[in-house]
Amino acid sequence: MTNGEGIAIRGLSKNYGKTMALEMVDLTLPKGKIIGLLGPNGSGKTTLLKILSGLLMNYDGRVTINGHSPDLHTKRIVSYLPDSPYFADWMKIKDATRLFKDMYPDFRTDVMAALLSRFELSPKMRIKTMSKGMKEKFQLALVMSRKAEIYLLDEPIGGGDPAARDVILQTILANFNPESLLLISTHLIQDVEKILDEVIFIKNGRIVLHEPRNSVIEREGKSIDEVFREVFKC
């Protein structure tokens, strides 16, 4: 990683009371990669993504994005998909789209329109009338419509059936800038491993593996999903 581009994490720890969510995390994540942040629920994935997105500021250690600590500057270049809906139910898709367009100069209206069409969603739809899967697709469309330098996706395929997961992964790949960094958090390894360049295993807030996907497969003679199940005893 050169010129401070990408994500650098040194000695990152975060606790909630007596519970350690992250413990002495060290990671260097360069641009131009799709990286899987893989672990079971409760392993610290969401906490890490919230810190990188600038939503959690109270932690120990050092975190930089393109050489900057998470702040207003980094929010301009980071596109974050949380693991739960974050728009008011009264809003329509067109209201949220307008909000994103006003907030982010890199928002691409034409890409959003194309994604809504692909997902069969109308700008006039009210959020409260949408199913869980529809909301997930809608929020993914918003996030991937930005021409960001770093994408942080928290469980983007968590709620869909296998066919929907394929569509979502195809959407991510089609709208991902190869010069960007995409960090995708999931516990559904089998679905996502084929698109990954590198894999991170996180267990009880600690990083237990961070390697290129192909290196793990060649060394172990198994798929990432099989290795994951052994490490986490799933």
Side-chain angles (χ1 to χ4, degrees):
M1 191 164 73
T2 61
N3 300 323
E5 293 195 347
I7 295 171
I9 301 171
R10 298 291 178 267
L12 174 62
S13 296
K14 170 65 180 175
N15 66 288
Y16 298 102
K18 295 181 179 180
T19 302
M20 289 297 297
L22 297 171
E23 190 169 359
M24 296 304 295
V25 171
D26 291 314
L27 288 170
T28 300
L29 310 178
K31 289 184 181 178
K33 302 281 187 180
I34 299 178
I35 301 175
L37 180 62
L38 313 178
N41 292 331
S43 58
K45 302 189 303 295
T46 293
T47 296
L48 179 55
L49 293 185
K50 283 184 175 179
I51 288 172
L52 293 173
S53 70
L55 291 180
L56 282 178
M57 305 298 290
N58 184 22
Y59 55 83
D60 296 318
R62 179 168 171 77
V63 177
T64 60
I65 298 172
N66 283 7
H68 295 264
S69 297
D71 58 12
L72 287 176
H73 171 83
T74 61
K75 286 182 179 181
R76 296 190 192 103
I77 63 172
V78 172
S79 193
Y80 170 56
L81 177 71
D83 63 343
S84 57
Y86 59 98
F87 286 106
D89 279 349
W90 61 265
M91 297 180 78
K92 295 180 179 180
I93 284 180
K94 63 180 181 181
D95 299 322
T97 300
R98 189 179 304 115
L99 183 63
F100 252 57
K101 184 179 178 182
D102 291 342
M103 289 176 62
Y104 302 110
D106 62 5
F107 187 76
R108 299 169 292 181
T109 306
D110 57 335
V111 173
M112 182 64 181
L115 290 177
L116 289 179
S117 177
R118 180 172 191 183
F119 290 149
E120 299 182 341
L121 299 173
S122 166
K124 297 180 180 179
M125 294 180 71
R126 201 174 296 277
I127 293 174
K128 68 179 178 182
T129 67
M130 297 162 63
S131 68
K132 185 174 184 288
M134 293 165 71
K135 290 178 182 177
E136 289 177 347
K137 289 177 180 177
F138 155 61
Q139 293 192 164
L140 179 67
L142 280 173
V143 168
M144 297 310 299
S145 290
R146 289 185 57 194
K147 191 176 181 180
E149 296 185 41
I150 293 172
Y151 296 87
L152 307 173
L153 308 183
D154 196 354
E155 299 285 357
I157 59 173
D161 57 49
R165 292 173 193 164
D166 284 342
V167 170
I168 287 172
L169 289 177
Q170 291 166 11
T171 299
I172 292 170
L173 287 175
N175 294 278
F176 167 68
N177 178 354
E179 296 179 359
S180 301
L181 164 63
L182 191 154
L183 184 60
I184 179 170
S185 157
T186 187
H187 62 280
L188 299 172
I189 316 304
Q190 190 172 17
D191 292 283
V192 79
E193 67 171 273
K194 60 193 174 192
I195 76 168
L196 302 177
D197 298 306
E198 297 181 5
V199 295
I200 300 167
F201 285 1
I202 183 169
K203 184 176 184 179
N204 298 325
R206 285 181 168 270
I207 305 301
V208 296
L209 179 148
H210 177 205
E211 294 183 45
R213 180 195 64 170
N214 290 343
S215 296
V216 177
I217 292 173
E218 290 171 8
R219 183 182 68 249
E220 302 294 335
K222 301 172 183 177
S223 70
I224 298 299
D225 183 58
E226 290 171 322
V227 176
F228 180 89
R229 289 173 184 271
E230 288 185 0
V231 171
F232 294 93
K233 302 291 191 294
C234 295

